């Protein structure tokens, strides 16, 4: 009975949460850890499902996203206002993108909570500036 109840509520979940829970390991564990770190650092974020991936919004504006690209072996945390970020730029990836910067994680051990937290707080401070510089 407990399984049925969990399974029924699982289907009623936000599609962004379903996206996270439907990922194979190790990506599911990485995404769950990132979700905890992101939401505990900036509690007033809203998790939506946009562009077919989990996307956090801050005060109605895009903030950051979580993505497991198909045929890739990592989790990508992209920052909407990355053109304005000023901390840990050396740890961020721009590969094939003109503006968007992200952090990439292959394993749970790759997550540096201090770096992620610093970037999240920086992104919070510049999110009002938008996508372009």
């Amino acid at each position: 009975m407990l399984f049925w109840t969990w399974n029924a509520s699982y289907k009623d979940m936000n599609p962004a949460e379903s996206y996270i829970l439907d990922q194979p390991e190790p990506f599911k564990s990485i995404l769950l850890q990132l979700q905890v770190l992101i939401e505990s650092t900036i509690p007033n974020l809203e998790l939506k499902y946009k562009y077919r991936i989990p996307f956090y919004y801050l005060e109605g504006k895009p903030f950051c996203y979580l993505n497991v690209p198909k045929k890739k072996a990592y989790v990508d945390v992209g920052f909407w206002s990355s053109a304005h970020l000023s901390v840990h730029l050396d740890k961020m990836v721009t590969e094939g993108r003109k503006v968007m910067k992200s952090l990439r994680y292959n394993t749970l051990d790759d997550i540096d909570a201090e770096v992620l937290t610093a970037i999240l707080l920086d992104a919070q401070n510049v999110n009002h500036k938008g996508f372009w510089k």
Side-chain angles (χ1 to χ4, degrees):
M1 185 72 162
L2 180 61
F3 174 77
W4 181 85
T5 304
W6 178 84
N7 196 26
S9 64
Y10 172 71
K11 299 219 181 287
D12 295 332
M13 266 185 211
N14 174 333
E17 293 168 343
S18 295
Y19 174 98
I20 292 168
L21 294 174
D22 288 343
Q23 295 299 319
E25 289 296 347
F27 307 121
K28 177 167 59 174
S29 293
I30 295 168
L31 288 164
L32 288 168
Q33 181 65 29
L34 291 170
Q35 185 179 20
V36 167
L37 289 168
I38 291 168
E39 292 177 12
S40 63
T41 302
I42 305 174
N44 57 332
L45 290 174
E46 181 181 2
L47 181 59
K48 296 183 178 187
Y49 190 69
K50 298 286 185 174
Y51 314 106
R52 298 170 60 180
I53 56 174
F55 219 115
Y56 282 101
Y57 278 69
L58 178 63
E59 299 170 357
K61 296 177 182 161
F63 182 73
C64 72
Y65 66 81
L66 303 172
N67 187 26
V68 180
K70 297 212 184 300
K71 300 181 183 178
K72 305 285 182 174
Y74 58 81
V75 173
D76 206 31
V77 181
F79 294 89
W80 187 259
S81 58
S82 58
H84 307 283
L85 295 176
S86 60
V87 299
H88 299 295
L89 297 177
D90 59 317
K91 306 233 187 306
M92 300 186 83
V93 178
T94 57
E95 185 178 292
R97 298 176 281 198
K98 293 180 181 177
V99 179
M100 188 70 71
K101 293 181 180 81
S102 65
L103 294 171
R104 290 195 177 159
Y105 304 105
N106 298 299
T107 68
L108 269 173
D109 290 336
D110 291 343
I111 299 172
D112 184 331
E114 286 185 28
V115 168
L116 178 59
T117 299
I119 293 171
L120 287 167
L121 293 172
D122 189 30
Q124 181 181 28
N125 289 330
V126 298
N127 202 57
H128 67 282
K129 294 182 177 181
F131 186 78
W132 301 103
K133 198 160 199 173

